[in-house]
Amino acid sequence: MIFNNFKYLSLSILAVCSIASCTSDAPDSGIVSSDSEMRFTISDVTRASITTSNNITSKPFVVYGDMRSSQKDSTNPLFVIFNGTKVEYQDNNWNYESTQYWFPGYEYSFVTIYPEPVFAGLEEPQYSNSQLSFKYTLPDDFTDTSDLLATTHRRKYIDREQTPATPVSFKFFHIMSRLNFSLEYNGAADQITITKVELEGVNKTGTFTIIPAPLLSGSEQTDDYTFSWTDISDKSTLTTDVGIDVADGETRPLFPDDNALLVIPQPDNKDIIMKITYTFGNNTEAEEQTLTAQTPIGGWETGKIYSYFLTVNIIEEKKDMTFSIEVSDWEEGTSTDVIVPRR
């Protein structure tokens, strides 16, 4: 059952019964006041770049939510109160249409996804029993890939005195994997131009599922959750045009924050091969050449940044590429050096 366009301040007992089927658990409109208005804030964004606490207000997010009587009765119905509702930042507040209110004696559950436009053109997300699931496919143009964030909240609302109707404060986390490539060039020519980066064997499609954790005994709220990426499929080559000039002895990022490379997490996929295509000097007519990583790279997890530090050495006929890998949480990990000869 879905609650739409509630105006609890003006509801009569009869109106409430018509919506909630007059069950014994139907909210009593007499206890609703403006003090119990349901509001949202954002408390933090996990350490990262791209989307941060400083710029997250530039786009709206969507919220899904439901309510159930907190009495221990398995027959208590679950009412959906938010079903992909857009929440946007206006006048220093996160606002949404059709204000909802807290009712004493109910447990509330929320799932949010940022940014809201990500659902445009995708299959309809599925929200059932407090769980949200949606299928996502990387766009053909990697620059169109969104920095997807998610979070949840579950709360038991007792009454205004014991549990004031404080805003739900969301702490978002990043659900994609980010790939960074910084390249150092050492060679005979004054510079090389990196024209293209290819990653062979990248899965482009997956299904993301998230649900708030249940309340522990004696607890009244939690921000914990369970999530997963499943049905990882659609393996193909991710090709990205770069156009970055790297001078002899210089190090340049290939995918800075404003052009970040984001992929669907695929921790079990180790069979990914990297190719870098380049030309010598500043001659736009120069023949393109390619270095290929024979050692597979991959195994990307949710919310982590994988930084590949590449060193390209081109001296006369000898050409090779060395890279080290650092993994951080978007926890610092170890670095691994790999020598990649020309193939």
Side-chain angles (χ1 to χ4, degrees):
M1 183 177 296
I2 299 177
F3 289 177
N4 288 322
N5 301 322
F6 285 170
K7 297 296 184 182
Y8 286 129
L9 287 174
S10 60
L11 282 179
S12 66
I13 294 295
L14 179 60
V16 172
C17 286
S18 67
I19 294 173
S21 302
C22 285
T23 67
S24 60
D25 295 321
D28 180 357
S29 63
I31 49 78
V32 176
S33 74
S34 59
D35 293 337
S36 59
E37 177 182 336
M38 197 172 290
R39 300 182 301 276
F40 302 125
T41 64
I42 293 179
S43 61
D44 197 7
V45 179
T46 53
R47 182 177 55 153
S49 53
I50 311 177
T51 301
T52 69
S53 299
N54 295 326
N55 63 17
I56 196 170
T57 57
S58 64
K59 296 179 182 178
F61 61 86
V62 292
V63 60
Y64 297 79
D66 52 50
M67 59 185 287
R68 185 199 302 268
S69 173
S70 57
Q71 297 179 6
K72 295 183 178 180
D73 184 349
S74 60
T75 63
N76 288 341
L78 188 69
F79 303 108
V80 174
I81 53 176
F82 295 103
N83 194 13
T85 301
K86 182 168 73 171
V87 184
E88 53 188 335
Y89 196 75
Q90 299 172 328
D91 301 324
N92 297 319
N93 289 292
W94 287 99
N95 301 312
Y96 61 94
E97 295 183 353
S98 303
T99 303
Q100 304 288 354
Y101 295 86
W102 300 99
F103 284 95
Y106 279 76
E107 181 177 303
Y108 293 81
S109 176
F110 305 91
V111 176
T112 61
I113 299 293
Y114 176 95
E116 178 264 342
V118 73
F119 287 137
L122 299 183
E123 294 182 11
E124 186 69 21
Q126 302 298 311
Y127 183 69
S128 178
N129 294 322
S130 305
Q131 176 177 282
L132 177 68
S133 180
F134 64 90
K135 184 177 181 180
Y136 183 76
T137 299
L138 293 174
D140 292 335
D141 184 346
F142 87 96
T143 59
D144 293 333
T145 305
S146 296
D147 181 17
L148 301 181
L149 286 75
T151 191
T152 69
H153 180 78
R154 192 185 294 273
R155 176 186 300 191
K156 184 185 298 182
Y157 184 67
I158 301 174
D159 56 46
R160 291 197 299 274
E161 286 71 30
Q162 297 186 58
T163 54
T166 56
V168 178
S169 186
F170 293 126
K171 184 176 181 178
F172 282 99
F173 69 99
H174 300 261
I175 70 173
M176 303 288 279
S177 301
R178 180 179 177 183
L179 310 184
N180 280 341
F181 293 91
S182 294
L183 187 143
E184 177 187 2
Y185 166 61
N186 297 302
D190 291 339
Q191 73 172 41
I192 60 173
T193 298
I194 307 301
T195 59
K196 183 169 59 177
V197 172
E198 298 171 88
L199 298 177
E200 297 181 355
V202 177
N203 289 298
K204 297 179 66 177
T205 298
T207 297
F208 182 76
T209 302
I210 186 170
I211 185 171
L215 292 176
L216 299 177
S217 177
S219 175
E220 295 180 359
Q221 60 180 291
T222 181
D223 294 323
D224 293 340
Y225 47 79
T226 299
F227 76 92
S228 64
W229 277 100
T230 58
D231 301 327
I232 307 300
S233 60
D234 192 17
K235 188 172 290 188
S236 61
T237 298
L238 184 65
T239 301
T240 60
D241 294 326
V242 180
I244 297 291
D245 297 329
V246 186
D248 184 20
E250 182 183 27
T251 300
R252 293 285 304 276
L254 303 185
F255 301 102
D257 287 353
D258 60 355
N259 199 35
L261 179 55
L262 303 169
V263 294
I264 289 175
Q266 38 203 287
D268 297 326
N269 184 12
K270 311 289 185 178
D271 300 324
I272 297 171
I273 302 296
M274 179 176 60
K275 291 182 179 180
I276 291 182
T277 301
Y278 65 93
T279 60
F280 282 109
N282 54 11
N283 183 0
T284 58
E285 302 298 324
E287 179 182 357
E288 290 186 329
Q289 302 188 48
T290 300
L291 284 172
T292 299
Q294 291 180 323
T295 303
I297 61 176
W300 303 315
E301 298 181 5
T302 302
K304 293 185 182 296
I305 302 176
Y306 294 81
S307 297
Y308 298 91
F309 298 93
L310 314 176
T311 300
V312 173
N313 298 294
I314 304 176
I315 301 174
E316 296 179 351
E317 295 301 318
K318 182 181 178 181
K319 302 177 182 180
D320 61 38
M321 179 167 56
T322 304
F323 64 86
S324 61
I325 305 170
E326 291 186 359
V327 182
S328 60
D329 240 340
W330 198 341
E331 308 299 9
E332 295 184 358
T334 59
S335 296
T336 303
D337 292 330
V338 182
I339 303 296
V340 185
R342 182 187 183 195
R343 186 176 75 179

